Amino acid sequence: MLKSAIMEGCETPLDLSPDTAPFQGEALPSGRRRAKILLVDDNGDNLVSLEAALDGLNEELILARSGLEALHHVLENDFAAILLDVKMPEMDGLETAEIIRSRKRSRNSPIIFLTGYRSDEHLFRGYDLGAVDFLFKPIVPEILRSKVSVFVELWRSIEVQKAQAEALRKSEQQFRSLLEAAPDAMVISKEDGEIVLVNSRAESIFGCRRDRLLGKNIRTLVPYWSAQDFAASEGAFADLMARRSDSIEFPAAITSSPLRTQDGVLITSAIRDVTERCKAEEHIRQLNLELEKRVTERTAALLRSNEQLTQFAYAASHDLQEPLRMVVSYVQLLEKRYKNQLDGTAVQFINYAVEGALRMEALLTGLREYLQIEEERSIEVVDCNLVLEVVRRNLEAAIRSSGAEVTSGGLPKLLALEVSLVQIFQNLVGNAIKYRGAAPPRIQVSAERRAAGDSSCAEWLFSVQDNGIGIEPQYLNRIFGMFKRLHGAKYAGAGIGLAICSKAVEHLGGRIWAESQAGQGSTFFFTIPEKKAGQ
Amino acid sequence: MSGTAPYRLLLVEDNPADVYLIQEALREHCVACEITCLEDGEAALQALFPADETSSFAPDGVILDLNTPKVEGIEVLRRIRQSPSLRHLPVAIVTSSEFPKDKSDAAALGATCYILKSARLEEFFARVGSSIKQMLEQ
């Protein structure tokens, strides 16, 4: 009964250890519980002597002077033994026994008949009525005591069993309410997958009544369920597809624990329908994809628009150059032809006009040069020493006329765009010559490799140091802007060189900055990340 | 051939200001020549390849702007180089185009020289004068 109450169709009882039953102590107090013994005799003297005989057992003795009184006690108490005098007026012992037996509560209470004489009829009827023994008067106290104590022991052991059963029942009830209270479908199965217990959440999740789930294999609910995955360890979990009784599948998060019983391993699977979670995840994934797509589109649009602007600026500067060339050419021709017919002021005016036009032409040329960095060129291994040689040649006239000395040390070979490096070095060295002080320019070009840091890759740090006029610190941020100039007509220039450097350095993935004090020379720094071939 | 009989030059240039500058450059650098000026590529092709054989015009050299109306200068150059009779005709390109592609196309088609128009007058005059003189005297 106990087993079936727990398992409902399972042959394997749960091994619920008794020490998990917290109420055991109440049922079996440390001091033993006194058994109740009912003594029934119409003769008060007899009752007294029975009482005296049993007093030494130290159990609870209840006395009754008639069958009716006895029945009354039997209604209210459970007796370890009932000692019943056979011969009593009104209702004799046998009649009383019959009624005691007919009642559910007292059906199993052991009855010992006390009789004054041996009557086979009484014996048969008595045993027939379920008597366990007959004692003949005069009663021998020792015999009485020993017989009664046997039944008391029996009662006591039954009490223990009852208490255990109760403990087990309560424990089972707790387990069940725990199971029912679980937010997930709980399915307990054997190792082969046979379902032995489910909770009501399992019924609702799988759309199937409990009695139809029991005995089925858990793989009808979770096709890819595997005992190996789940029997091995506590709290093993997996995301598997589960199937309702109407064949609709849903994603399930399953957590399982093995439960070792004396009859083998039982596996408890907590099954959660994660359809909503999956939907939410999918939704987030879609949103992310959408976002990425939009960012990509927007970036492409920006790149297109940037490209168009670049082309526009390039075309505009190219087209502006032509009318400008006409202006400047004819003003020069005017000067050339009519110089002798003009006074000094007129010639000066013409010079200003030519100078302005030529400066504008330089601006337009520089602008195109700046815009042209956009062109796709492939990177290659470039020897910076050779680059500096090219720059020295290009700047030969300026170097010679200024008496400049350009020295270098530690320049590497690296993967870069040669044309960009030439632009950078030429502008920086050219500036160092152009913005020289009283002394002949001394220009040192150096490089050092900086190893990769936590958030940066390995890079080369280049520096171009000069002894020129320097830059006041407050202007150091401005100088890399387009058309930014710090000096007036004393130093020719379009304000494009450093903008070109900045763009070229950025194009190579590096940074550019300068350190300087007015009158103390300047040092320009730029970095170029070290690229691996094929990157 | 110098002195008495000047060179006959065909100048294909649509901008009269440039025509004048080129003529000035040649004059200043004493390139004795008789210049026929046409302002578009189509007219140039008609002059060089007339339908009527008798009116054939055979210059000693051509000065060609690349950006000419109707037929572009580079096309005129291609036709000249494809023609059996004119394939050796000296052709100077005078242009403001800095595009490397224009320069390489012109070289590939066998332009004799490639002169960049410049805002610096003296420089431009010198370049035109010496290049054209060299081209004609070869």
Side-chain angles (χ1 to χ4, degrees), chain A residues 6 9 41 73 97-98 151 166 216 231 247 260 268 291 297 299 303 385 388 396 408 430 440 455 473 489:
Chain A
I6 296 171
D41 202 313
H73 287 300
E98 193 169 1
F151 289 108
E166 176 67 11
K216 266 194 183 169
S247 296
R260 291 177 211 292
T268 306
L291 199 63
E297 282 170 3
T299 308
L303 283 174
N385 293 295
L388 199 60
E396 199 181 346
S408 64
S455 56

Side-chain angles (χ1 to χ4, degrees), chain A residues 141-440:
Chain A
E142 289 75 19
I143 294 174
L144 177 68
R145 204 160 41 236
S146 83
K147 292 216 175 201
V148 167
S149 61
V150 167
F151 289 108
V152 166
E153 284 317 306
L154 191 63
W155 174 84
R156 200 151 268 142
S157 71
I158 289 169
E159 282 296 294
V160 169
Q161 275 182 24
K162 273 190 191 165
Q164 282 179 346
E166 176 67 11
L168 208 55
R169 197 184 60 74
K170 284 194 176 167
S171 159
E172 155 71 5
Q173 212 166 32
Q174 279 198 328
F175 171 71
R176 249 168 207 290
S177 55
L178 208 62
L179 205 64
E180 286 302 324
D184 299 331
M186 304 295 286
V187 178
I188 297 176
S189 59
K190 296 186 198 173
E191 260 186 303
D192 65 4
E194 186 191 327
I195 297 171
V196 296
L197 188 60
V198 297
N199 66 354
S200 53
R201 187 84 185 105
E203 294 181 291
S204 61
I205 277 190
F206 289 102
C208 187
R209 271 178 34 212
R210 192 177 301 234
D211 53 357
R212 303 189 57 183
L213 287 172
L214 297 173
K216 266 194 183 169
N217 196 295
I218 192 170
R219 277 185 281 273
T220 60
L221 307 178
V222 183
Y224 293 102
W225 184 91
S226 141
Q228 277 135 7
D229 292 348
F230 292 124
S233 64
E234 291 283 328
F237 63 89
D239 286 333
L240 294 173
M241 288 308 287
R243 184 182 290 157
R244 288 169 50 89
S245 62
D246 54 13
S247 296
I248 291 173
E249 295 205 333
F250 62 88
I254 302 175
T255 314
S256 289
S257 291
L259 184 68
R260 291 177 211 292
T261 70
Q262 58 202 20
D263 297 309
V265 176
L266 288 176
I267 297 165
T268 306
S269 303
I271 302 169
R272 179 171 297 183
D273 181 346
V274 290
T275 307
E276 290 307 315
R277 194 186 77 194
C278 290
K279 271 188 198 159
E281 283 169 358
E282 176 60 20
H283 186 59
I284 288 169
R285 213 176 58 79
Q286 288 296 340
L287 283 179
N288 277 337
L289 279 179
E290 178 67 18
L291 199 63
E292 257 173 53
K293 197 173 135 225
R294 277 163 63 182
V295 168
T296 309
E297 282 170 3
R298 200 64 67 84
T299 308
L302 278 172
L303 283 174
R304 265 199 310 280
S305 132
N306 198 28
E307 175 64 17
Q308 282 166 358
L309 275 174
T310 302
Q311 283 174 6
F312 170 77
Y314 191 92
S317 82
H318 194 266
D319 290 352
L320 287 174
Q321 184 111 1
E322 281 301 285
L324 181 67
R325 189 170 56 79
M326 286 302 113
V327 172
V328 70
S329 296
Y330 276 90
V331 175
Q332 286 173 98
L333 197 56
L334 184 67
E335 184 196 11
K336 194 177 166 78
R337 277 288 176 73
Y338 301 98
K339 203 171 184 172
N340 298 333
Q341 297 169 43
L342 296 169
D343 63 17
T345 315
V347 171
Q348 186 60 45
F349 288 176
I350 286 174
N351 284 342
Y352 287 150
V354 170
E355 265 172 35
L358 286 178
R359 198 153 58 237
M360 182 158 168
E361 204 222 1
L363 286 176
L364 291 172
T365 305
L367 185 61
R368 281 199 304 284
E369 209 180 317
Y370 176 82
L371 295 169
Q372 251 176 340
I373 303 171
E374 294 293 321
E375 268 183 45
E376 280 296 320
R377 293 184 181 106
S378 60
I379 61 168
E380 58 204 334
V381 176
V382 183
D383 184 346
C384 292
N385 293 295
L386 296 182
V387 168
L388 199 60
E389 267 320 299
V390 171
V391 170
R392 279 200 186 97
R393 258 201 316 280
N394 290 347
L395 297 172
E396 199 181 346
I399 290 173
R400 197 166 348 102
S401 66
S402 65
E405 198 176 289
V406 183
T407 53
S408 64
L411 298 189
K413 289 181 186 173
L414 47 74
L415 272 171
L417 288 173
E418 184 174 6
V419 60
S420 295
L421 284 178
V422 170
Q423 269 179 326
I424 297 164
F425 279 123
Q426 187 158 323
N427 276 298
L428 294 181
V429 174
N431 278 350
I433 296 171
K434 191 196 285 180
Y435 300 104
R436 60 180 176 270

Side-chain angles (χ1 to χ4, degrees), chain B residues 4-34:
Chain B
T4 51
Y7 295 109
R8 281 164 301 161
L9 272 177
L10 173 61
L11 172 59
V12 189
E13 170 64 70
D14 61 314
N15 183 355
D18 272 328
V19 169
Y20 188 79
L21 286 178
I22 291 167
Q23 285 174 334
E24 277 295 304
L26 294 173
R27 190 160 32 240
E28 194 166 288
H29 285 80
C30 306
V31 181
C33 58
E34 192 178 276

